[in-house]
């Protein structure tokens, strides 16, 4: 029985030979000469190495890594093996897959031989004889996991006798002689220092807990979303409390509870303010919801987030239009609504002179990206409008029923509710958005500036992919992934983000990872870009 380092890089990810050679734990030559040896292990990053890299990233003004697993994966993918070596990733071996020229009776005998060859094996493994001993070992490892050099989320229990392993055999996916046990999410206590509130693009006020930094699942955590006033009241969270924090799915920090027995003095209850922290306008609680919103439609915080959403990758995808430019253009009142983005070209000389975006080259590059975005699909524009409950997927589905954005805005609530892909809440959100004269004015101006409002006519397309579900993975060389998705959907097919038994085909490009592996395990047909095109001929 040994710790399972499943927070690090899995063997499903291809290990590039040149990068593997520079990992300090990789042994290039064995002490004993044998005909064949195949071993399995995991590449991982220690917490010390991870902290060191993030310190360097901060000093260089670069984005820090989210966790050791992501950092290890990115490090092993580096084209320059010098970077891999500098980052100091590690490796341990946890199984001998096959060996010729020598025989072992047990798994642990194999470990002993590997150690004699200088090969690093999994640490802290325990031999057990009874179920009680197994459970005891699991508890000990769970209690001590915080002292390990790396993060784990469970243990693996294996049969030690190799003959017994052969008799038990394997399924199509996993061995029958091993099983994993997952620990409950790691939890830690810390002190709540403050509660900050921010304003979203819809005006919704979101409270965020600020607490003394703690380490969870390999990263330092100091913030967690508190959702709404009801959540705060239900847990009775007060500034100064000792709180219990965990990571949902080992990723998102969340507050589980308040340790009320450690509340030494009476602390003041927290209430979301009745005025907007950005514009000072009143805040109100929406009927039948837990949301408290700023009622000022011209609130700068809402405008900033609406513009960032509009220019973002899932909406109009205006390359190079970063949040810093958005904030500055709003501050200087060049942008007061979405439509103003397409009027920026009229201020070209002024923008260059004031260096708001940069010199002439940068400014022209961004203005060109804005101009090119006018030809985007209407569903992208609908996504960018920021209508509540209408994201990328919903927008695509909705625009299948309408010829243009104008058709959509002139549809009644009753007609919207009759569309099978639009729910009651989404229909109400769409109706309310287009009832607002200011929003209609923005749509009109966007049309005047030449932004595409119409849905492309695909009546001549066939439905060769009708009833088929595709998954696209890896880097496509002859077409972009978005082009492949459009091609599939325009011929009646569906594109999913995950592989399952319901998947018809997996379109795999270069460096396809775990999705390709799963497709092969499930026996799903894997096709190339050329084969996809040939299917339409």
């Amino acid at each position: 029985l040994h710790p399972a380092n499943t927070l690090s890089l899995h063997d499903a990810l291809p290990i590039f030979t040149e990068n593997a050679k520079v990992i300090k734990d990789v042994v290039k030559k064995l002490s004993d000469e044998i005909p064949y040896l195949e071993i399995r292990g995991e590449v991982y990053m220690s917490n010390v190495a991870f902290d060191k890299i993030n310190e360097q990233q901060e000093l260089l003004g670069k984005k820090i890594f989210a966790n050791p697993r992501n950092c290890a994966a990115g490090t092993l993918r580096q084209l320059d093996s010098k970077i891999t070596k500098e980052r100091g990733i590690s490796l341990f071996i946890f199984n001998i897959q096959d060996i010729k020229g020598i025989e072992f009776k047990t798994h642990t005998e194999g470990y002993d031989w590997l150690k004699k060859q200088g090969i690093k094996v999994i640490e802290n493994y325990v031999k057990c004889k009874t179920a009680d001993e197994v459970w005891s070992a699991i508890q000990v490892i769970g209690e001590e996991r915080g002292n390990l050099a790396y993060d784990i989320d469970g243990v693996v229990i294996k049969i030690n006798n190799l003959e017994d392993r052969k008799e038990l055999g394997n399924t199509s996916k996993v061995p029958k002689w091993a099983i994993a046990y997952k620990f409950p999410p790691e939890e830690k206590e810390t002190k709540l220092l403050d509660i900050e509130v921010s304003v979203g693009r819809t005006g919704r006020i979101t409270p965020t807990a600020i607490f003394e930094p703690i380490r969870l699942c390999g990263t330092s955590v100091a913030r967690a979303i508190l959702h709404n006033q009801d959540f705060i009241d239900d847990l009775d969270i007060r500034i100064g409390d000792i709180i219990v924090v965990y990571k949902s799915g080992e990723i998102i920090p969340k507050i589980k509870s308040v340790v009320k027995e450690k509340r030494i003095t009476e602390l003041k209850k927290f209430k979301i303010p009745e005025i907007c922290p950005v514009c000072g306008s009143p805040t109100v609680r929406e009927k039948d919801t837990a949301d408290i919103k700023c009622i000022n439609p011209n609130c700068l915080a809402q405008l900033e987030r609406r513009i960032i959403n509009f220019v973002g990758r899932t909406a109009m995808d205006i390359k190079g239009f970063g949040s810093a430019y958005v904030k500055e253009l709003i501050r200087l009142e060049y942008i007061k609504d979405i439509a103003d983005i397409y009027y920026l070209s009229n201020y070209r000389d002024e923008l260059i002179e004031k260096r708001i975006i940069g010199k002439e080259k940068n400014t022209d590059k961004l203005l060109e990206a804005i101009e090119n975005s006018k030809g985007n699909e209407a569903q992208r524009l609908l996504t960018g409008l920021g209508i509540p409950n209408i994201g990328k997927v919903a927008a695509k589905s909705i625009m299948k029923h309408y010829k243009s954005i104008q058709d959509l805005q002139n549809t009644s609530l009753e007609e919207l509710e009759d569309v099978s892909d639009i729910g009651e809440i989404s229909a109400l959100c769409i109706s309310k958005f287009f009832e607002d004269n200011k929003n209609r004015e923005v749509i009109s101006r966007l049309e005047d500036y030449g932004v595409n409002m119409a849905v492309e006519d695909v009546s001549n397309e066939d439905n060769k992919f009708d009833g088929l579900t595709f998954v696209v993975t890896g880097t496509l060389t002859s077409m972009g992934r978005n082009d492949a998705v459009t091609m599939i959907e325009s011929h009646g097919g569906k594109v999913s983000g995950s592989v399952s038994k319901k998947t018809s085909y997996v379109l795999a490009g270069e460096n396809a990872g775990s999705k390709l592996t799963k497709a092969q395990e499930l026996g799903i047909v894997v096709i190339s870009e050329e084969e996809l095109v040939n299917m339409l001929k």
Side-chain angles (χ1 to χ4, degrees):
L1 181 148
H2 64 71
N5 187 31
T6 52
L7 292 182
S8 69
L9 188 67
H10 290 278
D11 56 277
L13 187 66
I15 298 180
F16 302 112
T17 305
E18 291 305 312
N19 285 345
K21 285 179 180 178
V22 301
I23 299 173
K24 63 180 184 299
D25 298 318
V26 171
V27 174
K28 299 180 181 67
K29 188 174 181 180
L30 301 177
S31 302
D32 299 342
E33 292 187 6
I34 57 171
Y36 184 81
L37 173 65
E38 181 184 336
I39 51 181
R40 177 169 290 187
E42 290 199 28
V43 173
Y44 69 96
M45 178 164 283
S46 70
N47 293 328
V48 171
F50 177 69
D51 289 340
K52 184 178 178 181
I53 289 169
N54 269 347
E55 285 175 10
Q56 292 172 343
Q57 292 291 102
E58 283 187 309
L59 288 172
L60 295 171
K62 296 181 179 180
K63 186 179 179 181
I64 64 172
F65 292 97
N67 53 57
R69 176 179 55 190
N70 290 1
C71 190
T75 299
L76 207 52
R77 289 192 185 102
Q78 291 295 318
L79 298 176
D80 186 353
S81 57
K82 290 180 181 178
I83 297 175
T84 306
K85 186 175 182 179
E86 288 170 359
R87 290 186 178 176
I89 51 178
S90 304
L91 168 77
F92 60 65
I93 302 303
F94 58 74
N95 207 62
I96 296 178
Q97 299 297 106
D98 193 11
I99 189 168
K100 292 179 174 61
I102 187 170
E103 290 186 3
F104 306 114
K105 291 183 178 180
T106 66
H107 180 68
T108 48
E109 281 181 13
Y111 274 177
D112 293 337
W113 181 81
L114 288 173
K115 283 188 273 189
K116 287 179 182 177
Q117 309 306 309
I119 295 173
K120 183 179 176 182
V121 301
I122 187 76
E123 301 170 324
N124 305 315
Y125 62 88
V126 183
K127 285 198 290 185
C128 306
K129 293 183 179 180
T130 68
D132 287 341
E133 287 183 12
V134 170
W135 181 241
S136 177
I138 289 172
Q139 290 178 308
V140 170
I141 292 173
E143 291 167 0
E144 295 296 323
R145 61 175 170 155
N147 298 324
L148 294 174
Y150 48 83
D151 295 299
I152 66 170
D153 68 351
V155 298
V156 177
I157 302 101
K158 297 178 180 178
I159 298 294
N160 193 31
N161 187 291
L162 299 182
E163 285 300 320
D164 290 343
R165 287 189 182 186
K166 289 179 183 178
E167 187 175 338
L168 288 166
N170 306 274
T171 69
S172 60
K173 296 182 182 180
V174 295
K176 293 181 180 179
W177 43 264
I179 191 169
Y181 173 86
K182 299 288 186 180
F183 292 120
E186 185 181 8
E187 301 174 354
K188 285 187 179 177
E189 292 183 5
T190 185
K191 185 177 181 180
L192 180 62
L193 302 176
D194 197 6
I195 297 177
E196 293 181 354
V197 291
S198 58
V199 186
R201 62 181 173 83
T202 62
R204 182 173 180 266
I205 310 290
T206 302
T208 301
I210 312 298
F211 45 81
E212 291 180 350
I214 51 174
R215 192 176 191 90
L216 284 174
C217 303
T219 58
S220 179
V221 180
R223 302 169 66 91
I225 299 295
L226 291 173
H227 306 293
N228 51 53
Q229 188 66 56
D230 287 355
F231 182 85
I232 293 171
D233 292 343
D234 290 345
L235 290 183
D236 191 20
I237 299 171
R238 308 183 187 190
I239 296 171
D241 271 332
I242 301 299
I243 55 176
V244 178
V245 183
Y246 71 102
K247 272 192 176 182
S248 175
E250 308 290 347
I251 298 172
I252 303 171
K254 289 190 175 182
I255 294 176
K256 180 181 180 180
S257 60
V258 174
V259 187
K260 292 183 180 177
E261 56 269 27
K262 293 187 178 181
R263 187 183 284 168
I264 301 172
T265 58
E266 185 63 28
L267 301 172
K268 186 179 178 181
K269 290 187 176 183
F270 179 85
K271 293 292 180 185
I272 292 175
E274 295 179 355
I275 60 169
C276 173
V278 176
C279 68
S281 299
T283 61
V284 296
R285 179 163 178 159
E286 288 196 329
K287 186 179 179 182
D288 301 325
T289 75
D291 294 340
I292 295 175
K293 292 187 174 183
C294 167
I295 62 172
N296 177 15
N298 297 314
C299 176
L300 288 181
Q302 294 182 55
L303 175 60
E304 181 184 309
R305 284 164 178 78
R306 278 202 301 271
I307 301 299
I308 290 172
N309 171 70
F310 185 85
V311 304
R313 188 171 61 180
T314 59
M316 295 301 278
D317 193 22
I318 303 177
K319 298 287 191 299
F321 209 149
S323 59
Y325 295 153
V326 171
K327 291 176 183 177
E328 190 65 4
L329 289 166
I330 289 173
R331 187 183 71 83
L332 296 173
E333 298 186 349
Y334 285 100
I335 294 179
K336 297 185 180 71
D337 59 40
I338 288 168
D340 284 339
I341 292 171
Y342 294 96
Y343 197 73
L344 287 174
S345 57
N346 293 282
Y347 298 112
R348 175 186 176 275
D349 294 342
E350 199 173 315
L351 294 173
I352 293 171
E353 184 182 346
K354 293 181 179 180
R355 300 284 178 90
I356 296 170
I357 298 167
K359 295 182 180 179
E360 186 174 339
K361 184 179 179 181
N362 278 354
T363 302
D364 285 341
K365 191 175 180 180
L366 179 57
L367 293 176
E368 183 182 3
I370 292 171
E371 183 66 25
N372 291 339
S373 74
K374 291 180 180 180
N376 283 346
E377 300 164 311
Q379 67 196 39
R380 284 188 169 273
L381 175 59
L382 179 57
T383 304
L385 294 178
I387 302 172
N389 294 302
I390 308 300
K392 178 183 176 181
V393 176
K396 182 183 290 187
S397 181
I398 289 166
M399 294 313 296
K400 285 181 181 179
H401 296 276
Y402 296 94
K403 293 181 180 179
S404 66
I405 296 292
Q406 292 93 332
D407 281 355
L408 177 63
Q409 85 170 356
N410 293 324
T411 302
S412 68
L413 176 60
E414 291 74 19
E415 289 172 324
L416 282 168
E417 289 176 341
D418 286 340
V419 177
S420 59
D421 292 336
I422 303 178
E424 184 180 340
I425 295 175
S426 296
L428 185 60
C429 289
I430 294 169
S431 181
K432 280 187 174 181
F433 180 86
F434 288 118
E435 281 175 2
D436 190 320
N437 288 330
K438 289 183 180 178
N439 291 332
R440 283 180 169 268
E441 182 188 337
V442 167
I443 297 296
S444 177
R445 287 173 57 212
L446 287 171
E447 186 179 9
D448 290 343
Y449 294 150
V451 178
N452 176 48
M453 301 273 166
V455 176
E456 184 181 355
D457 184 9
V458 292
S459 57
N460 293 326
E461 298 282 12
D462 57 62
N463 286 317
K464 284 189 176 181
F465 293 153
D466 187 33
L468 300 178
T469 300
F470 293 75
V471 171
V472 183
T473 183
T475 303
L476 305 181
T477 54
S478 66
M479 64 179 82
R481 290 180 66 161
N482 287 337
D483 294 332
V485 170
T486 301
M487 180 186 293
I488 291 166
E489 291 180 339
S490 65
H491 290 277
K494 290 184 178 180
V495 179
S496 173
S498 59
V499 178
S500 70
K501 291 180 180 179
K502 295 181 180 179
T503 304
S504 309
Y505 296 95
V506 169
L507 173 59
E510 294 179 358
N511 300 324
S514 58
K515 291 179 183 177
L516 174 59
T517 303
K518 187 170 183 181
Q520 292 167 338
E521 290 173 351
L522 295 176
I524 292 164
V525 179
V526 178
I527 60 173
S528 65
E529 299 158 68
E530 184 180 359
E531 288 171 315
L532 176 69
V533 174
N534 287 338
M535 289 169 71
L536 295 172
K537 292 181 180 178

